[in-house]
Amino acid sequence: MAERARNRGAGEASDRRTRAKGRESRRRIIEAAAAVAGERGYEGTTIAQVSKVSGLPASSIYWHFADKDALLAAVVEESIELWLGQVTRGEGDSLIERVSELCLGVAKTFRESPDFLRLVLMLALERRPVEPVAREIYLRLRGEAIERIAAELEQVRPGLAGADARLLATYALGGGDGIFLASLTGDADVAALFRLHAEAIVHLVEKADGAGS
């Protein structure tokens, strides 16, 4: 009986190691795919390139993902939660505090997830007869981000109409996209651009709800 217990314990420990190894492999594949796709776009990404960057054989990639579309969909889906958390944190009681937190969150994703941002911008720009799942996921979750930001603006500015809040939220994210593109030139003062962007958002929100008139 004691021997069976030892064998069972050894088997469970082996299973845990196998699962941990699988999670680590999956993480390496996701990170490699984000790096390759951020540089080459959806069409330019191949399983062979992801294999080379990750250091794992193609068979390992196919064990986790059915094909390239499933892989890049996972990249978007796993990265988007971090992005959403950064851009919709909902901290601060005043409009200026909320908008500042929004801009700081977007700026943080620049530092922590530049490959992801390049990938999703490419997905947004590239149009195909049959849209990849990754693009559909990104556009859906970006829509959710706009709704969350709009809700944040309405919370601190109850007089702001819902349609205006969504328009301003769309502008806020669009401005962040523009700053990211400017940062890729290498000579943009990103911090200064975000300060200016935050001031513009605050001014537009105040104007929309009548506080700036």
Side-chain angles (χ1 to χ4, degrees):
M1 190 171 183
E3 184 177 352
R4 286 199 300 272
R6 285 195 297 271
N7 290 338
R8 185 170 62 251
E12 290 173 352
S14 178
D15 288 344
R16 286 195 295 272
R17 286 193 296 271
T18 299
R19 288 194 296 271
K21 186 176 179 180
R23 288 192 296 270
E24 173 61 17
S25 295
R26 192 177 192 276
R27 182 191 63 78
R28 285 171 59 186
I29 293 166
I30 290 284
E31 290 179 354
V36 172
E39 179 182 344
R40 298 173 177 267
Y42 181 89
E43 295 294 347
T45 299
T46 65
I47 294 296
Q49 289 163 343
V50 175
S51 174
K52 182 178 180 180
V53 172
S54 68
L56 294 168
S59 59
S60 291
I61 299 173
Y62 283 117
W63 191 86
H64 288 283
F65 306 100
D67 52 26
K68 180 179 77 173
D69 196 24
L71 170 55
L72 293 183
V75 171
V76 171
E77 197 158 26
E78 293 198 6
S79 301
I80 205 82
E81 289 303 323
L82 171 64
W83 178 73
L84 282 173
Q86 293 297 338
V87 302
T88 60
R89 287 185 290 182
E91 297 178 2
D93 296 324
S94 70
L95 173 63
I96 293 175
E97 289 172 330
R98 291 289 177 98
V99 170
S100 296
E101 286 297 313
L102 163 65
C103 290
L104 286 173
V106 176
K108 188 174 182 181
T109 62
F110 281 23
R111 297 190 302 271
E112 297 182 352
S113 308
D115 292 331
F116 164 69
L117 289 173
R118 282 193 292 269
L119 168 59
V120 295
L121 285 176
M122 289 181 185
L123 285 171
L125 291 170
E126 295 175 356
R127 302 297 300 272
R128 302 171 191 82
V130 178
E131 296 291 3
V133 175
R135 186 175 192 273
E136 294 175 359
I137 290 172
Y138 171 63
L139 294 179
R140 173 173 57 81
L141 293 176
R142 185 183 178 91
E144 290 183 13
I146 289 172
E147 292 298 329
R148 290 192 199 181
I149 294 170
E152 295 288 333
L153 295 177
E154 290 181 84
Q155 185 175 0
V156 292
R157 290 286 178 171
L160 189 63
D164 288 337
R166 286 188 291 276
L167 181 62
L168 289 163
T170 303
Y171 167 79
L173 280 188
D177 294 339
I179 295 173
F180 178 66
L181 289 173
S183 74
L184 298 179
T185 66
D187 58 359
D189 187 337
V190 172
L193 288 172
F194 268 113
R195 286 194 296 271
L196 187 63
H197 188 43
E199 291 174 7
I201 295 169
V202 169
H203 169 73
L204 291 170
V205 171
E206 290 178 338
K207 182 178 179 180
D209 81 346
S213 59

